[in-house]
Amino acid sequence: MADDRSPGVLGPTTIATIAQEVGVSSATVSKVLNGRSDVAAGTRARVEASLERNRYRRRARRASGEGQIDLVFHEFGSEWALEIIRGVEAVAAATGLNVVLSQLDGAHRPPQSWVEALIARRPLGVLLVMCNLTDQQRQQLQRQAIPVVVVDTDSASSASVPTVGSNNWNGGLLATRHLLELGHRRVAIISGPPDVLCARARTAGFRCAHEELGVPVDPDLVRSGNFHLDAGYAHGIELLSRADRPTAIFAGSDLQAMGVLRAARQLGLDVPGDLSVVGYDNLPVSAWIGPALTTVNQPLRDMAGTATRMLLDLTRGVALPTSRIDLVAELVVRESTAPPPS
């Protein structure tokens, strides 16, 4: 049933060929190919090594998943995720494809049971958002001719995984430079989780903007949130209750910025008269809240649409000219920023 020829092997590489080389049954090789978990770890490793060595690839074969792509989030439920969904749907609908949504309850790596279920359904391809596969999982899907593209705001995926992201470091730089150029000298940041690379990149841009203008960063004003409303509110209350409170906050996401705005209102502070706030993402709602939010535009719909087009090219056997595309992040100035109070 196989496809590629192993170097130095006269016939096509088949499941039987792999089974004979490793010294296991063809059924065991088939279980490994289909992502089944009921294979001993040592046996699985030997079969995987033989499959890779012989460059085994199963012929494309479609069943229940024909005409659909899987869109997998680490979690969803916010306007941020909806922007990604809209970008994917716009491209998929134009080609008559269905989109199947799922999420990993906050995990950044899918469990093996997810891989088994995916292989059983055999979609045309998979889009992963803020999550990625292990090398073994990626090889399993590759052997099943199921391509994967990542919509990844981390900007640091493996070169072997086609990825679309945006320049988070530059976004953090632009947001902070704007506040410093307005005259703020006590600028706080509420970034995302420290183990998420896009959060670290935005924080690095924040620090670089300070270095540019020779303004020291107060370590007490550097906070890690979770990109959601609750973190913006909790850190906002704490930061703005200080005697030496900041005059500006780069909130790291629009949702965290909204949490900061609520904290400021609760403490009787005027935005932007007493406090300037900058968000990140440019969600549609950011232009409609009061005051309208200054934010960094991360082109989520364009990122999702670009990733979907890359995935469709892969399903057609078209080679991609590049495995990594980073779209530009731009500052959008609205009503939530102004010079600091005198």
Side-chain angles (χ1 to χ4, degrees):
M1 161 158 13
D3 313 343
D4 292 346
R5 294 174 181 267
S6 173
V9 177
L10 294 178
T13 304
T14 66
I15 287 178
T17 306
I18 301 296
Q20 182 176 13
E21 180 179 297
V22 180
V24 298
S25 67
S26 294
T28 298
V29 176
S30 182
K31 286 181 179 181
V32 173
L33 279 168
N34 290 314
R36 294 271 297 276
S37 57
D38 54 341
V39 179
T43 302
R44 178 185 297 279
R46 297 202 326 270
V47 172
E48 292 277 3
S50 178
L51 289 166
E52 194 65 23
R53 185 166 54 252
N54 287 283
R55 294 182 294 176
Y56 180 93
R57 299 290 181 268
R58 176 171 288 181
R59 288 191 183 97
R61 181 183 63 200
R62 300 300 168 197
S64 61
E66 185 172 1
Q68 72 183 36
I69 57 177
D70 271 48
L71 174 58
V72 185
F73 290 83
H74 77 298
E75 62 181 355
F76 55 57
S78 71
E79 185 72 15
W80 188 93
L82 287 176
E83 285 297 288
I84 296 289
I85 293 169
R86 289 169 182 138
V88 173
E89 278 284 357
V91 176
T95 57
L97 292 176
N98 295 317
V99 179
V100 177
L101 289 176
S102 60
Q103 58 101 22
L104 304 176
D105 294 321
H108 292 279
R109 291 286 184 274
Q112 190 60 30
S113 58
W114 174 88
V115 177
E116 294 176 22
L118 186 84
I119 290 174
R121 286 190 295 102
R122 296 192 60 75
L124 284 172
V126 181
L127 288 167
L128 298 172
V129 184
M130 289 294 286
C131 55
N132 214 329
L133 306 175
T134 66
D135 288 342
Q136 178 180 315
Q137 290 170 338
R138 180 173 53 79
Q139 290 166 7
Q140 285 177 305
L141 296 190
Q142 188 178 54
R143 278 192 289 272
Q144 300 292 334
I146 301 175
V148 175
V149 175
V150 176
V151 182
D152 179 22
T153 54
D154 282 358
S155 302
S157 293
S158 166
S160 61
V161 182
T163 307
V164 179
S166 66
N167 193 327
N168 290 284
W169 179 87
N170 190 58
L173 176 75
L174 292 175
T176 311
R177 183 188 284 164
H178 170 64
L179 293 170
L180 294 173
E181 288 177 346
L182 285 171
H184 294 277
R185 290 299 177 263
R186 285 191 60 73
V187 181
I189 180 173
I190 308 171
S191 193
D195 62 337
V196 175
L197 290 176
C198 67
R200 299 211 299 267
R202 292 172 197 177
T203 302
F206 168 85
R207 293 184 183 279
C208 184
H210 280 79
E211 291 172 5
E212 275 187 344
L213 294 179
V215 178
V217 174
D218 183 343
D220 289 340
L221 301 185
V222 178
R223 306 297 176 92
S224 294
N226 59 12
F227 288 143
H228 293 295
L229 289 159
D230 60 328
Y233 174 76
H235 284 295
I237 288 288
E238 185 179 344
L239 287 165
L240 298 175
S241 297
R242 297 168 57 106
D244 58 347
R245 65 174 176 82
T247 62
I249 297 179
F250 170 35
S253 76
D254 287 350
L255 293 177
Q256 285 185 161
M258 292 174 201
V260 170
L261 291 177
R262 180 180 178 184
R265 283 194 300 270
Q266 186 170 316
L267 294 173
L269 297 175
D270 176 68
V271 176
D274 300 313
L275 174 73
S276 287
V277 179
V278 178
Y280 202 106
D281 291 327
N282 196 27
L283 300 179
V285 68
S286 66
W288 292 97
I289 59 175
L293 187 65
T294 294
T295 185
V296 176
N297 180 48
Q298 180 170 220
L300 296 172
R301 290 198 199 189
D302 289 343
M303 288 163 56
T306 300
T308 306
R309 285 186 286 271
M310 290 171 70
L311 184 66
L312 295 180
D313 280 346
L314 290 172
T315 66
R316 300 173 186 127
V318 177
L320 300 178
T322 179
S323 64
R324 175 81 209 187
I325 296 177
D326 272 322
L327 302 186
V328 175
E330 298 177 311
L331 183 69
V332 179
V333 178
R334 296 195 179 107
E335 299 169 356
S336 65
T337 52
S342 56

